[in-house]
Amino acid sequence: MTKNHEQFKLVGRKVILKVQDRICDTPEELLSSRLFRVILKKGVERLVEQKSLLLKIFGKEEPGEADLDRLLQVLHFLVKMPLDLVPNLVEGSESFLKHRQLFNDFIEYLYNFWRDFERYLICTSPEGTPALDRRPYRTFNNTVETLAHLVRSVYRDLQENITGEHPWIYRQVRAGTNVAAIAVPKDILLPEGVYRERLSSIPIIRQILLYPPLILDPPMNKRTGQFRKIASNPLEVVDVKPEEWLCYPAKVGPLLVLIYFHEKFYELGFSLCNLFEIATDEDLKRKPDAVYLFGVPGDVLDQLADFPTVFYDDQENNLLIAACPNRDMFGYFGYLKKMVLTLHNVKVMKMGRLPFHGAMVRILLKNGKKATILMIGDTAAGKSETLEAFRILAQDNLSDMTIIADDMGSLEIDAEGKIRGYGTEIGAFLRLDDLQPGYAFGQIDRAIIMSPSRVNARVVIPVTTFSNVIKGWEVDFVLYANNYEEVDEEHPIIERFSSAQEALRVFAEGAVMSKGTTTSTGIVHSYFANIFGPPQYRELHDELAQKYFEAFFKRGVFVGQMRTRLGIPGWERKGPEEVAKELIRILS
């Protein structure tokens, strides 16, 4: 569907279009394109498998290449004139006129068959040509918008010339592509050797255009296993074909992480734009802190560890490198997001910061009182749910509520001994089941929704700005999210610890009632509720945790635990609401 350099590829239920210049902009070019022929053939093949009545328009049950050629001839004329005139110009096309209503239904079917694919358009500019990323709006307008308008126009013109009637209702659905990106070559400061050999030819994404809400159904809806630290560089065994990869350069807190994702997982790779801030050209002038290859073909990673989600600490080049296979079982956004955050956690520990798995917000009440609250806990412990309940219940007294971290972040002790908190993401990856009714729909105009019909349905939405993420906020509360204990006189909704050692025991135990976001069930334990880096560097983390928890109590930070009861049946909504009410009381 492009004028020149026509490139497309079908990968499962994905259509990937790559263009270097303007896309086709006339019905004749669209109907003559190789991609249209491929989609038409696949659509007819499906009808043959289904033994569909729509095949009557061909006058036979199994149309051949000649029949498709005749249909294409008919469509070339039909887009310009009524169907009654076409048999005079295309020999053997009388059956289309004979079955007018079925022919109209076939056009509707073909339109929906095309739209049922996940459709991606990649605008590239080889070295030595004008950079498309300098005028992104013009680039997107000349490609994505043009294609969407053209497909809709051809579809409507065909149906009008078949039925002789105009539509009464015009639905402006996404008829072109779901997602588009401008990806160009960049000279990144990668170390010499295997890094440059494998990665330097992969285009770097500079801008993305998407049409939310995006509804995706990735191969997997849960994550299992841990990320293994290995003793050798996975890049040494990986065979990278640059034309199958793109790079999303992510700003993860203070770090620059180059996330390379394979075409099989395009839907997950492009969803990163709702989670991590994309690096600027200025950011790309510095050396990256980490590199991640998501979607490595084959089984080469299986030889490196007992579970093939691996990372390597390249101390010689001061660079972390991670990799994950492209098998269906790894087709879950959690494998992408959590590995990136693992790399973040390892790097910040080396910088002397304490990483955390939790949510952090800055709250400002109308009476002038303010507090920065850090809630630490494992997945589905009730952190996000409690904050959402707080936002709703405190709205009459709430002046502002700034999200700093939704999942991961780090703490730093500044020169004055103050504890400062930083985030990593501008977005959130949330369970639909645990949100307040209507919340996701209120944000649907920006949402990417994953696995909506399955357990652990998720939504990825922007929730804050990068400036809030990296500002460095002084921390007032550090609370562990306990989702499994009942509340009674000896176990209050919010309990304050009296010493660093008492707090360390609860935080280090990392107990949580699993809610089905991984393959674990029941009460499980993980070191500091954070399997993403600290266990692999336990000695370093132990030192940092002791130092920081002692600093909490020295500074008078409120350190305790909140009992969300999210893991107890019947308390999924009420539990976080009760915690929110208690927080409001304490802050007021």
Side-chain angles (χ1 to χ4, degrees):
M1 294 185 178
T2 58
K3 280 187 171 183
N4 301 307
H5 311 318
E6 181 177 358
Q7 293 184 52
F8 68 89
K9 189 173 185 180
L10 271 64
V11 181
R13 292 300 300 167
K14 300 179 185 67
V15 175
I16 301 170
L17 279 162
K18 294 186 178 181
V19 300
Q20 295 179 6
D21 45 27
R22 294 171 64 89
I23 205 161
C24 61
D25 53 12
T26 68
E28 291 76 20
E29 289 172 340
L30 176 69
L31 296 171
S32 298
S33 67
R34 288 192 301 119
L35 179 54
F36 185 85
R37 172 72 183 231
V38 168
I39 296 298
L40 176 63
K41 184 176 180 179
K42 285 187 173 293
V44 171
E45 287 173 348
R46 176 184 284 185
L47 293 179
V48 172
E49 291 174 5
Q50 297 171 343
K51 297 183 178 180
S52 172
L53 290 175
L54 294 179
L55 295 172
K56 282 188 177 182
I57 65 173
F58 295 100
K60 59 180 69 172
E61 293 182 355
E62 294 192 22
E65 294 294 333
D67 299 297
L68 295 183
D69 290 339
R70 186 177 300 110
L71 175 56
L72 283 171
Q73 280 186 281
V74 169
L75 296 179
H76 272 278
F77 287 107
L78 187 60
V79 79
K80 295 179 287 190
M81 63 183 64
L83 178 60
D84 298 297
L85 302 179
V86 175
N88 300 325
L89 300 169
V90 181
E91 184 178 351
S93 62
E94 293 79 9
S95 63
F96 298 108
L97 179 58
K98 180 181 177 182
H99 300 286
R100 184 187 297 266
Q101 184 56 50
L102 281 180
F103 192 23
N104 188 57
D105 292 344
F106 175 83
I107 297 300
E108 184 73 29
Y109 160 77
L110 187 62
Y111 181 58
N112 291 330
F113 181 77
W114 157 252
R115 294 197 310 110
D116 193 45
F117 284 92
E118 290 178 10
R119 307 173 308 277
Y120 301 90
L121 189 145
I122 314 301
C123 304
T124 61
S125 57
E127 292 187 63
T129 61
L132 298 176
D133 58 322
R134 298 307 174 203
R135 293 184 174 180
Y137 176 76
R138 177 178 295 182
T139 298
F140 286 135
N141 196 52
N142 290 342
T143 54
V144 184
E145 300 293 343
T146 295
L147 179 61
H149 175 72
L150 180 61
V151 172
R152 278 196 301 264
S153 297
V154 169
Y155 155 71
R156 288 169 179 162
D157 288 344
L158 290 173
Q159 288 203 320
E160 287 182 23
N161 286 330
I162 291 172
T163 64
E165 297 179 349
H166 297 292
W168 294 103
I169 299 172
Y170 290 85
R171 296 180 176 88
Q172 295 295 92
V173 298
R174 293 188 292 268
T177 59
N178 306 97
V179 180
I182 297 173
V184 299
K186 285 283 183 183
D187 186 15
I188 304 296
L189 292 178
L190 291 166
E192 297 293 338
V194 68
Y195 293 98
R196 285 193 169 273
E197 292 169 11
R198 300 282 197 273
L199 307 176
S200 61
S201 298
I202 297 174
I204 309 293
I205 294 173
R206 302 315 305 126
Q207 288 90 12
I208 291 177
L209 181 147
L210 66 154
Y211 291 94
L214 283 182
I215 300 177
L216 305 174
D217 191 23
M220 181 56 64
N221 64 328
K222 292 184 180 181
R223 178 182 51 77
T224 190
Q226 292 193 15
F227 302 133
R228 305 299 191 193
K229 181 185 178 185
I230 57 175
S232 60
N233 193 333
L235 270 183
E236 298 285 356
V237 299
V238 171
D239 180 24
V240 177
K241 297 179 180 178
E243 68 275 10
E244 297 179 353
W245 293 79
L246 288 174
C247 175
Y248 185 90
K251 295 166 74 170
V252 185
L255 309 181
L256 171 63
V257 180
L258 302 181
I259 307 171
Y260 296 87
F261 58 95
H262 189 262
E263 61 191 12
K264 179 174 179 176
F265 291 149
Y266 263 17
E267 71 273 30
L268 301 175
F270 279 110
S271 297
L272 289 166
C273 70
N274 264 16
L275 192 70
F276 293 118
E277 183 88 348
I278 193 167
T280 65
D281 288 343
E282 192 64 30
D283 295 319
L284 293 176
K285 292 179 181 178
R286 69 183 180 92
K287 181 183 174 183
D289 297 288
V291 171
Y292 182 22
L293 273 70
F294 181 66
V296 174
D299 57 3
V300 294
L301 298 179
D302 292 276
Q303 61 187 283
L304 302 179
D306 58 349
F307 199 72
T309 51
V310 298
F311 70 93
Y312 170 67
D313 189 345
D314 185 350
Q315 297 184 24
E316 180 181 348
N317 289 299
N318 191 26
L319 188 66
L320 295 166
I321 170 75
C324 176
N326 74 350
R327 297 195 287 273
D328 281 352
M329 68 173 291
F330 299 106
Y332 173 58
F333 194 63
Y335 285 107
L336 185 51
K337 164 190 163 79
K338 293 296 191 182
M339 180 65 91
V340 172
L341 296 176
T342 298
L343 300 176
H344 162 271
N345 292 346
V346 172
K347 185 67 177 181
V348 296
M349 280 192 288
K350 289 170 169 281
M351 296 164 55
R353 291 187 180 185
L354 181 69
F356 63 79
H357 183 191
M360 180 184 288
V361 295
R362 177 67 167 177
I363 290 171
L364 177 62
L365 300 179
K366 290 180 179 178
N367 63 9
K369 293 185 178 181
K370 53 191 175 182
T372 300
I373 301 174
L374 169 59
M375 299 177 178
I376 291 177
D378 211 338
T379 302
K383 307 181 298 288
S384 298
E385 295 79 7
T386 298
L387 291 175
E388 177 58 17
F390 183 94
R391 185 185 65 82
I392 293 171
L393 295 172
Q395 58 185 338
D396 291 339
N397 300 314
L398 188 62
S399 176
D400 192 33
M401 184 169 169
T402 301
I403 295 177
I404 303 163
D406 177 75
D407 186 20
M408 296 272 187
S410 64
L411 299 174
E412 180 183 50
I413 303 174
D414 68 13
E416 299 176 3
K418 296 177 181 178
I419 313 299
R420 298 201 173 274
Y422 303 83
T424 53
E425 306 151 297
I426 59 167
F429 181 47
L430 305 173
R431 282 171 51 94
L432 282 176
D433 292 347
D434 294 332
L435 292 176
Q436 292 287 334
Y439 175 77
F441 297 101
Q443 302 291 324
I444 202 166
D445 58 339
R446 301 185 298 164
I448 298 174
I449 300 170
M450 297 182 181
S451 306
S453 62
R454 293 191 280 177
V455 173
N456 197 32
R458 292 270 183 161
V459 60
V460 190
I461 50 173
V463 294
T464 191
T465 64
F466 189 68
S467 60
N468 287 331
V469 168
I470 62 167
K471 178 179 178 179
W473 303 78
E474 185 175 358
V475 178
D476 302 296
F477 288 76
V478 178
L479 301 173
Y480 183 79
N482 175 334
N483 76 339
Y484 59 92
E485 284 187 343
E486 293 280 7
V487 171
D488 55 36
E489 290 185 4
E490 295 182 358
H491 301 85
I493 296 173
I494 295 180
E495 175 185 1
R496 187 169 189 173
F497 296 131
S498 59
S499 69
Q501 294 312 308
E502 181 188 9
L504 278 167
R505 180 183 56 78
V506 172
F507 281 81
E509 189 177 48
V512 69
M513 177 71 75
S514 177
K515 286 276 292 175
T517 63
T518 70
T519 54
S520 301
T521 56
I523 293 181
V524 295
H525 298 80
S526 58
Y527 177 65
F528 277 88
N530 190 353
I531 63 172
F532 310 104
Q536 295 90 341
Y537 290 76
R538 186 157 185 158
E539 185 176 342
L540 173 58
H541 188 274
D542 279 343
E543 294 176 6
L544 290 169
Q546 187 69 42
K547 174 183 176 182
Y548 275 78
F549 273 76
E550 288 176 358
F552 295 161
F553 283 86
K554 185 177 180 180
R555 284 297 297 187
V557 174
F558 185 115
V559 182
Q561 64 177 324
M562 58 184 197
R563 293 182 169 90
T564 69
R565 290 173 282 180
L566 193 70
I568 301 175
W571 288 93
E572 291 86 354
R573 295 196 188 281
K574 190 176 179 181
E577 287 177 356
E578 293 296 317
V579 175
K581 290 176 182 177
E582 182 65 7
L583 267 178
I584 293 170
R585 186 192 68 78
I586 292 172
L587 292 176
S588 300

